[in-house]
Amino acid sequence: KQEVTQIPAALSVPEGENLVLNCSFTDSAIYNLQWFRQDPGKGLTSLLLIQSSQREQTSGRLNASLDKSSGRSTLYIAASQPGDSATYLCAVRFTGGGNKLTFGTGTQLKVEL
Amino acid sequence: GAGVSQSPRYKVAKRGQDVALRCDPISGHVSLFWYQQALGQGPEFLTYFQNEAQLDKSGLPSDRFFAERPEGSVSTLKIQRTQQEDSAVYLCASSSGGGSPLHFGNGTRLTVT
């Protein structure tokens, strides 16, 4: 079964700290991987999309890496701010799984002053 | 439009009632997805449209769930004879196709009492 797992489920850090969120997936045959942010009561905002041929993507203070062979992706957030507090979701489009994304359960991040 | 729009924002239904949830995708987006998100979980795939064609409905949990996109733009997710386990946030997403990122609406929170 194609599954996506995110660790940790929750994380609390002081402002300014660099942090890493982890995502693992059970099948290395993927089309792409996408990181989303979800604020309470809101939909999902796309942060970064990594195609299967890519190793990483960067946007501002965010950097996402992809290692297909080990079934892992990490989202690195530099110099965290209270406004980064949200739930971060990893989603994988598996090859042969059609166009659907398979989501992890998310990491709930709190950045404290 | 500027983004994916979903209505209503909140819906309370008595068990056994039928409900209809609407999604207006970003103009010109050919791909449209419906997801179901239970509290504290990641979104779960329900169904996928390419233009007006429903290409994947493997995630619909029962025959009480029905989705349509008759003109290849607006989509409606209908749930007949609602049950308490149908209570969740229903998210709609669209994309321009291929490997492009998904853009999500803010969802409809359905509560079945």
Side-chain angles (χ1 to χ4, degrees):
Chain A
K1 185 180 177 183
Q2 295 168 329
E3 294 182 338
V4 179
T5 304
Q6 291 186 248
I7 295 173
L11 181 63
S12 182
V13 300
E15 182 180 13
E17 189 163 301
N18 302 325
L19 59 100
V20 174
L21 306 181
N22 296 294
C23 172
S24 60
F25 42 95
T26 54
D27 185 348
S28 62
I30 72 169
Y31 190 76
N32 59 38
L33 182 147
Q34 198 165 353
W35 282 94
F36 293 88
R37 167 186 174 137
Q38 186 172 32
D39 292 281
K42 300 288 188 181
L44 281 64
T45 301
S46 179
L47 298 174
L48 291 165
L49 170 68
I50 311 177
Q51 303 293 347
S52 63
S53 59
Q54 298 173 322
R55 293 298 297 257
E56 65 177 347
Q57 282 286 336
T58 297
S59 176
R61 293 183 293 107
L62 305 180
N63 175 276
S65 67
L66 174 64
D67 184 344
K68 280 193 308 180
S69 60
S70 66
R72 295 179 187 276
S73 175
T74 61
L75 179 66
Y76 175 82
I77 303 176
S80 58
Q81 303 171 358
D84 295 331
S85 298
T87 295
Y88 290 81
L89 291 155
C90 169
V92 175
R93 182 180 168 190
F94 290 101
T95 305
N99 285 296
K100 67 182 180 187
L101 292 179
T102 300
F103 283 83
T105 52
T107 293
Q108 189 172 5
L109 172 66
K110 183 175 182 181
V111 181
E112 298 176 317
L113 290 169
Chain B
V4 178
S5 178
Q6 292 188 245
S7 61
R9 189 80 176 84
Y10 302 93
K11 177 69 179 178
V12 179
K14 291 185 177 179
R15 190 175 59 177
Q17 284 185 330
D18 298 347
V19 298
L21 312 180
R22 177 188 169 102
C23 173
D24 279 272
I26 293 173
S27 179
H29 276 192
V30 298
S31 297
L32 186 146
F33 300 79
W34 283 99
Y35 285 83
Q36 180 190 59
Q37 186 175 25
L39 190 64
Q41 300 297 313
E44 295 278 346
F45 171 80
L46 293 176
T47 187
Y48 160 66
F49 290 86
Q50 183 172 315
N51 296 306
E52 69 279 3
Q54 189 175 20
L55 298 185
D56 187 349
K57 53 182 181 179
S58 62
L60 296 176
S62 77
D63 59 6
R64 296 186 296 105
F65 287 71
F66 172 77
E68 60 183 6
R69 193 186 185 197
E71 297 179 358
S73 55
V74 172
S75 177
T76 303
L77 176 66
K78 297 179 180 178
I79 309 173
Q80 297 177 324
R81 304 180 304 281
T82 52
Q83 300 177 6
Q84 284 191 317
E85 60 262 33
D86 299 335
S87 296
V89 175
Y90 291 84
L91 295 164
C92 177
S94 70
S95 81
S96 56
S100 57
L102 260 62
H103 299 268
F104 281 80
N106 285 332
T108 294
R109 181 177 297 277
L110 173 65
T111 303
V112 181
T113 60

